[in-house]
Amino acid sequence: MTSNTTNTIASGNGKPLLDRQAAQENTRIEELNRKLSREISLRKSMEESQPNALQEWQSIFDALNEPVIILDKDRTAVKANQAACELLSSENEDIIGQKCYQLFLGRPSPCTDCSLQSVDLNCRRYEMEVEGRFSGKILRVTCAPVFQGTELVGYVHSALDISHQRNLEKQLAWAQKMEAIATLAGGIAHDFNNILGVILGNSDLLLYRLPDSCSQINGDQGQLGVGDIKDHLTAIQKAGLRAKDLVSQILAFSRQTATSRREVIITPVVKEVVKLLQSSLPATIELHAEFAGDIGYIFADPTQVHQVLMNLCTNAVDALNNQYGRIEISLHETKIGSRKKPSFELKNGEYVVLSVRDNGIGMTDDIMERIFDPFFTTREVGEGTGMGLAVLHGIVTAHNGIIDVRSEPGKGSIFTIYFPKIVVRENSSEKDSLINLPIGSETIIFADDEEDIVKMYTEMLEYLGYTVIPAANGEQVLSYLENHLQEVDLVITDQTMPQMTGLELADKIHGLRSDLPVILCSGYSETVFDKATRQAGINKFLAKPLKMKDLAVTIHQVFFETK
């Protein structure tokens, strides 16, 4: 059998099998050729379409209104859309190749508190607000990580211009301040009249009790002794200082300034608000204030704390709706621990607690859910901005505080604010103490456009031993310096004068002699001129009215620092 089978194959009877195998091989080769042809055609098509795809991607990228920048893992910009180029680049500068800190902040080195570290650690996006280097616009920058598998390969930065929103917030806060100022007007006038009454009354007593005057009224019995003179002058000085503090608070409260936070005890701020309210509230409203004996420090802007409390009290007055009622203001400390937790979120620690309670109409749950929404108000149209509590909430949040609201219809409301307490080490050297007034013999120019002011401070400085050259304006100062430049040791100038301000005068003085020290005086706070005074080379700033002790000490410091 084996022999026959072999013979059959050899003799050609197996040809049909070989033909089938050959046909199958040809079919397989043709299929491979077709696949190869399709692959070559597809690759060629992809190569031809790649430039178009990239161009299409870039067109879409540039069409985005929001500026977007792609960074590599070294934080260098590798891609940017048209909006980003318009916002962040200057005429001679390209975005590509720059570091993120150069683009957004104009810094030569990385930020010490770089937000990308948080992105690297948490692998999620991060938001922050920055001021644009060239545009000056306020930007909300969002940073998101980009991964290939598990490897971080870069970041996507997008920037949203929120300048208009922030400006609107400032304007609305300003409107709310002005609304509160209108409420305060009556109380301010009442306080000022009381202060003026003390000053004018004691001045009259001094004048009428002088020897030449009192003999015509009450003989020698009304003549002044040294103790009487001291008592009258002390009363005048105290009243003047009260007026000075009141003016400072009004200016700070009404002015648009950046927040100036510091370590502060807010008890005096709260007491001042209570004093102003007592003078301005209608007789139908009873005001009660309670202060704990030892209130600690918080890190806050006193002006904004003043604004918050005035806002709460104004709302309490509205809640009483011109009816008989009561407003209670409380200031105390509390300690929050694991065993004493309020119903709302509050971290463990010590807090200074400020609360305002009224027995007015109260609020429903629906109203309480919306009271901190911008523009929400229960007042009639034209009776308010609707921004009061929204601004208040923003201020408290910015101070790392918490505000709790409790209210029931017909039972009144209580607003409670928790400010985190801080520990402050007292420096005994900073405590005010009675010291001998420093004196000197240098030559000083004193410039002010108020003749009485010039006369008074000239006498004050001469009493301290100085030679004083009085001037009514900047032109007189420059005219004297032209002929006596090296003889003058110091210039003290008011800021607000005709033809030339104090800052402009200081700039011209340093053009003549760069080492001549200048002290600037103004009725406005130093924060108003902070940047300008540094640029003009002002040595010291003094807020008017000037106390003799402050003036003497400041002059002494300037001479010590410049010699």
Side-chain angles (χ1 to χ4, degrees), residues 145-163:
V146 178
F147 292 92
Q148 282 187 355
T150 58
E151 182 185 358
L152 178 68
V153 295
Y155 309 90
V156 176
H157 269 55
S158 60
L160 179 65
D161 183 2
I162 58 172
S163 304

Side-chain angles (χ1 to χ4, degrees), residues 219-257:
D220 294 337
Q221 296 179 6
Q223 287 191 8
L224 286 168
V226 174
D228 297 323
I229 295 173
K230 185 176 181 180
D231 289 343
H232 288 307
L233 291 176
T234 300
I236 291 172
Q237 187 183 51
K238 285 183 178 179
L241 292 174
R242 278 184 61 203
K244 176 186 176 182
D245 291 341
L246 186 58
V247 169
S248 297
Q249 289 183 10
I250 294 168
L251 288 173
F253 186 67
S254 62
R255 191 181 305 123
Q256 287 178 299
T257 59

Side-chain angles (χ1 to χ4, degrees), residues 351-363:
Y351 293 84
V352 172
V353 184
L354 175 64
S355 67
V356 175
R357 180 194 296 268
D358 67 74
N359 59 349
I361 57 176
M363 294 179 286

